[in-house]
Amino acid sequence: MLPLTLLKTAQGHAVLIEVKTGETYNGHMLLCDSWMNVHLREVICTSKDGDRFWRMPEAYIRGNVIKYIRVPEEVVDKVTEETLRKDKKAAGGRGGRGGGRGRGDGGRGRGGFEGA
């Protein structure tokens, strides 16, 4: 499972983000881009020592300051199911390596040389 796939699936769900300074941000993820920048709504920020709290309508957290992101288990399960479904779809049917005759030349090899 790719991290960005997980974060894109987590959009709209409640997440907890800890930044490198030790503060935590709890809120609903609105957007996440390819640099892991995150836009949260209905945010509760907790100080590093855990004794101060702030309520904010929204927050934008830059990806390079994020230490970790905690997403709900249902999001992880959803991504796992989608990954398995895509793998099954890719494995079924024709395709893959080998097994074919190439471009339909009757299996004569390269150039069609028929001499001994």
Side-chain angles (χ1 to χ4, degrees):
M1 153 180 18
L2 295 173
L4 285 176
T5 305
L6 180 65
L7 292 178
K8 293 287 185 185
T9 306
Q11 290 180 3
H13 292 84
V15 295
L16 180 134
I17 298 176
E18 183 173 335
V19 295
K20 293 177 183 177
T21 61
E23 297 171 331
T24 60
Y25 294 84
N26 226 328
H28 289 84
M29 184 186 299
L30 288 181
L31 297 170
C32 177
D33 63 15
S34 57
W35 291 279
M36 217 166 70
N37 299 323
V38 177
H39 187 182
L40 298 176
R41 267 252 160 93
E42 301 172 14
V43 182
I44 297 174
C45 178
T46 307
S47 65
K48 181 179 181 176
D49 48 9
D51 63 348
R52 290 178 300 207
F53 302 92
W54 298 272
R55 185 178 296 272
M56 297 181 264
E58 51 186 45
Y60 182 82
I61 303 171
R62 209 172 137 138
N64 68 339
V65 300
I66 295 175
K67 188 188 289 186
Y68 73 86
I69 300 176
R70 182 181 295 171
V71 296
E73 194 66 33
E74 65 189 44
V75 173
V76 176
D77 294 340
K78 192 175 186 180
V79 172
T80 305
E81 289 172 7
E82 289 175 6
T83 304
L84 291 174
R85 196 172 331 124
K86 284 181 184 177
D87 289 346
K88 282 184 181 179
K89 189 175 181 180
R94 299 181 73 189
R97 300 186 82 164
R101 285 270 188 186
R103 295 187 176 192
D105 60 357
R108 294 181 297 188
R110 289 175 70 78
F113 180 72
E114 296 181 32

